[in-house]
Amino acid sequence: MIDSKVPQPKIVVIGAGSLFFGRQSIWQMVDSKYLNQGTLALVDTDEEKLSKMVRLAEMVVKENNVPLKVEGSMNRREVLKGADFVVLSFAEDTVKYRGIDCQVALKYGIRMCSGDTIGPGGIFRAMRELPVIMECAKDIEELCPDAWVINYINPSAVHGIALSRYAPQLKTFALCDSHHMPHKKAYYAIRAGIIEDISEFNGEIDRKFDFRIAGVNHFTWLLKAEYDGKDVMPQVAESMRISAGTENDGGDTGAKALYNDAITYELYNIFGYIPTCTAHTKEYVRYWQGLGKTEDAIPPLSIWETEDRYQRHEEMWGQVDDFLSGKRPIADYMKSFGPDHATDIIENMVGNLGKRFFINTLNNGAVTNMNDDAFLELLCEVNMDGIKPLHVGEMPRGIRGMQELVLDTHELTAEAVVERSYAKLRRAMLTDPLANSIHDADLMIKELLELEKEIIPGYWYE
């Protein structure tokens, strides 16, 4: 039964077939007392995937006896009206095209282990996804202009910059799941030796532990780590040194996970601060591109593994099918997943819970020696009235210079895609920190445009 005194938000998920978000969003919408009397509207252009996710959501709702309303549509315009939140989480054939991006880049001497944020992979992913994002923005402005729009699609900073600059009338921010709170803070508390297990993390430890992370998405750094007034950055770094080569970045597998702790410690040795998203950060710098004249202790980056990713997606859909068929009891669903970053933030906003989250947004003075309009990942207070980044302090010299180069690349990429400018596309590719040659960059652009002709908008070929 619906309780009229309880919030009844409408959340529209565009890209419901996203296995890295869709399943968790169902969990949170059902679990949260602030959300489960509202509406979850699932949108996907793949009819089979959409049907599965809608049926799965309906089964979970029924099993848990909550009044959540579930809708599904292949046409986003049919469900956008009345939305309070719109989450963008789509990526058409992303495994296939990221594989193409990475293989073409490798041909020209650029090694990408992820290929979705920086380098040719990041630029061309924006070429594929950002035009659709901006079409969504137009529909949102028309049908639900007061909705909060949450971009959950990489390259997160590029898309966030584009929405803030070219759709300023909308309330938008961008997300990445790598700094989900309070789990990220607990992770560093463990690394610092403050606690031994995440279950020990509590309010008192949270208050005593002053840790500050900032930077461009996927290029963020731990700039301060003090517990009860004592600097614990060296302890965090030492734990990385000890585990170097034996641990991954927290759950990922394959190329993104290799040598992360060793690379983290080496970057700490150089700059005095700890990268917090090394699985991606190692792609932002040239040091592990294999371009040196002598052999490094850490080998060059391994390349994005297309076939392994296809297998992972197949296994995830297999899990969904097991729930749908009854092979796995639907009663186990709520034990199988947990809170997601985007729906955690939505719950916080709807319930006015006063929690803080890492969000990609405009700097607005949080990092004192970077521009206010620098689009950074920052710890923020967030509620239905807006987003307030919390004070960080200065970005250290050296790291700041690299941040500015990445920001220029991202901003040029956003401008190139939205303005349909080949000149800015070329400029973005040659501003990118992984570019080695003007001629190579021109050939990469030409080759990627040809290989991805089926998905990149036709106006690039006129």
Side-chain angles (χ1 to χ4, degrees):
M1 180 182 293
I2 296 290
D3 183 347
S4 60
K5 296 179 181 179
V6 176
Q8 298 170 29
K10 182 175 183 179
I11 291 92
V12 178
V13 178
I14 301 179
S18 167
L19 288 170
F20 294 95
F21 174 62
R23 298 171 304 167
Q24 290 88 337
S25 66
I26 292 170
W27 185 95
Q28 187 106 349
M29 290 294 294
V30 169
D31 181 74
S32 172
K33 66 180 181 180
Y34 299 100
L35 305 180
N36 63 21
Q37 296 202 40
T39 299
L40 174 62
L42 302 174
V43 179
D44 205 286
T45 55
D46 186 311
E47 187 173 10
E48 181 182 3
K49 290 179 179 178
L50 175 65
S51 175
K52 286 183 177 183
M53 296 305 286
V54 169
R55 282 192 290 135
L56 179 63
E58 290 172 341
M59 289 170 67
V60 177
V61 166
K62 183 178 180 181
E63 173 65 27
N64 290 274
N65 193 30
V66 295
L68 179 69
K69 182 180 178 182
V70 178
E71 299 177 355
S73 178
M74 293 177 65
N75 180 356
R76 62 181 177 263
R77 291 181 62 86
E78 292 180 349
V79 296
L80 279 174
K81 191 172 182 180
D84 298 292
F85 297 88
V86 182
V87 182
L88 308 176
S89 65
F90 53 82
E92 186 175 350
D93 289 330
T94 186
V95 174
K96 170 185 173 181
Y97 288 109
R98 283 168 74 180
I100 291 171
D101 291 341
C102 291
Q103 288 304 315
V104 170
L106 182 62
K107 178 179 173 182
Y108 294 97
I110 294 177
R111 307 183 69 87
M112 294 188 298
C113 59
S114 180
D116 65 350
T117 311
I118 201 70
I123 292 170
F124 267 79
R125 183 162 185 182
M127 289 280 282
R128 299 188 296 269
E129 316 293 2
L130 184 50
V132 186
I133 289 172
M134 298 313 295
E135 289 171 7
C136 290
K138 289 180 182 177
D139 288 343
I140 293 165
E141 183 182 5
E142 177 187 345
L143 299 171
C144 52
D146 293 327
W148 278 95
V149 183
I150 303 173
N151 174 70
Y152 216 175
I153 306 167
N154 281 321
S156 192
V158 174
H159 297 153
I161 288 166
L163 284 167
S164 67
R165 182 177 299 180
Y166 297 101
Q169 70 284 357
L170 296 178
K171 298 180 292 187
T172 68
F173 59 87
L175 285 185
C176 177
D177 60 7
S178 63
H179 289 100
H180 192 181
M181 288 284 276
H183 316 291
K184 194 68 175 182
K185 195 168 187 177
Y187 168 80
Y188 282 110
I190 293 170
R191 286 289 200 174
I194 297 167
I195 57 176
E196 293 185 0
D197 185 81
I198 193 169
S199 63
E200 300 173 29
F201 191 77
N202 57 39
E204 183 181 2
I205 291 170
D206 186 15
R207 287 189 296 273
K208 289 183 176 181
F209 189 19
D210 182 2
F211 92 134
R212 301 183 192 181
I213 291 173
V216 184
N217 179 238
H218 288 169
F219 199 45
T220 46
W221 296 73
L222 182 63
L223 302 178
K224 184 177 183 179
E226 291 185 358
Y227 185 71
D228 211 10
K230 178 186 176 183
D231 181 16
V232 294
M233 185 89 72
Q235 287 93 314
V236 175
E238 178 63 9
S239 76
M240 298 290 185
R241 186 193 67 78
I242 292 170
S243 60
T246 64
E247 295 188 44
N248 62 23
D249 66 342
D252 211 330
T253 59
K256 283 176 66 177
L258 293 174
Y259 300 102
N260 283 351
D261 286 349
I263 289 172
T264 299
Y265 186 73
E266 189 156 1
L267 289 173
Y268 166 76
N269 247 340
I270 297 165
F271 295 104
Y273 300 91
I274 294 171
T276 63
C277 195
T278 306
H280 288 279
T281 293
K282 61 189 180 185
E283 245 182 16
Y284 280 62
V285 292
R286 293 188 176 96
Y287 313 135
W288 295 282
Q289 285 291 313
L291 302 175
K293 299 300 182 184
T294 57
E295 187 174 349
D296 202 321
I298 301 171
L301 299 183
S302 295
I303 307 303
W304 162 268
E305 55 290 90
T306 302
E307 293 307 316
D308 288 348
R309 290 287 176 146
Y310 274 127
Q311 184 177 345
R312 287 178 64 191
H313 281 224
E314 187 176 332
E315 290 169 355
M316 291 177 185
W317 279 115
Q319 182 192 45
V320 171
D321 289 337
D322 286 348
F323 279 121
L324 294 175
S325 68
K327 183 177 179 181
R328 187 169 183 177
I330 198 67
D332 289 350
Y333 192 88
M334 299 304 285
K335 304 173 188 175
S336 303
F337 299 99
D340 164 82
H341 197 188
T343 41
D344 240 4
I345 292 172
I346 292 172
E347 178 189 52
N348 174 73
M349 295 173 76
V350 171
N352 196 27
L353 303 182
K355 297 179 182 178
R356 296 173 171 182
F357 293 92
F358 281 99
I359 288 173
N360 288 276
T361 187
L362 299 175
N363 177 37
N364 285 330
V367 177
T368 54
N369 60 342
M370 294 183 72
N371 290 344
D372 283 350
D373 66 351
F375 203 82
L376 303 176
E377 189 162 10
L378 301 162
L379 188 62
C380 299
E381 293 177 348
V382 53
N383 55 45
M384 294 300 287
D385 294 326
I387 296 164
K388 180 184 176 184
L390 301 177
H391 175 75
V392 175
E394 290 195 348
M395 185 68 67
R397 191 173 297 280
I399 296 175
R400 186 186 68 178
M402 293 188 289
Q403 296 279 333
E404 296 289 2
L405 181 61
V406 169
L407 274 173
D408 275 1
T409 303
H410 286 345
E411 290 179 3
L412 283 167
T413 300
E415 291 172 10
V417 176
V418 176
E419 298 172 16
R420 306 179 185 183
S421 167
Y422 187 89
K424 287 189 175 180
L425 172 62
R426 187 171 184 247
R427 198 175 303 160
M429 189 72 81
L430 286 164
T431 302
D432 190 283
L434 299 184
N436 303 309
S437 154
I438 294 173
H439 190 233
D440 284 355
D442 286 337
L443 291 175
M444 272 191 293
I445 292 172
K446 181 179 179 181
E447 193 166 336
L448 287 170
L449 282 172
E450 183 59 34
L451 290 171
E452 300 181 8
K453 197 170 185 177
E454 291 182 357
I455 194 169
I456 288 175
Y459 48 75
W460 284 98
Y461 303 90
E462 295 172 355

